[in-house]
Amino acid sequence: MLKTYPFDKDMEDLFKKEHSNYREYTVFQDESWCKKSNFFYHGFLFVRNNQGRRILNKIIEIKSNNKRRWSDISFKNIKNVATNTEEGRKTIVVRFWLELADKELRKRNIKFYLFGVDKNNIKNFWLKGSFNKHIYLRFFELGLKSSVKWFGEDERETKPLRISHLYYEYGNYNDERKDKIKWLNLEFFKKGFPWILPSQDNISDLYSNEKLSKHEFSNLIQFTDIILGAC
């Protein structure tokens, strides 16, 4: 059974129509911890709505052509192994996805923002709660705010930019992340910032595994993971 979201009724139009006064994007977020270096990363993928359906179809087509349609693809799957193995096929998918990402980035149909934090340089100045939780939420907020500001000031854009929807991978601190986005919206609104962040109804956590989410947009969370890992 397909898992429904408050905005599913608009999905068919989401990547086909665009408000005439804006250039609209949907944002997908994923994160990565590097235990070896003790770095933490948030990645934000901005997908232009009127190109997103085509991009999503291509992402799924690449998986299907390599018999991995329902696989949960992650950067950690990349291994130098025989192509006829499970990991080998996933590596082929990743390679083609990165080629697609390169092409779409050059055309500015997608934008990607990487926000990295060196945990070695951060002291635990939070007196209450989990150190890792505070780092996660604080830099999720800063990363999203920085990405929105950076892309919003791109002089090559011919129209003001607007985020219509935002998805973050289901996992740590789902409700707290949604709360951060709500306050960011208020802050940008007060400053008259040209970006418009989505309403609470258009913000949702989403499993990267499509079998769990029952939603094809999980493939764009996977795509975000791959670009984040490559960076």
Side-chain angles (χ1 to χ4, degrees), residues 158-193:
T158 57
K159 299 178 182 179
L161 278 65
R162 179 167 72 175
I163 298 174
S164 64
H165 297 71
L166 192 149
Y167 296 86
Y168 41 86
E169 184 180 8
Y170 180 89
N172 296 319
Y173 324 120
N174 292 323
D175 293 338
E176 290 96 328
R177 277 185 282 175
K178 193 170 186 177
D179 233 29
K180 291 290 185 184
I181 299 166
K182 177 179 69 176
W183 285 108
L184 276 180
N185 220 344
L186 181 64
E187 181 181 343
F188 284 149
F189 176 75
K190 285 183 175 179
K191 292 181 179 179
F193 200 75

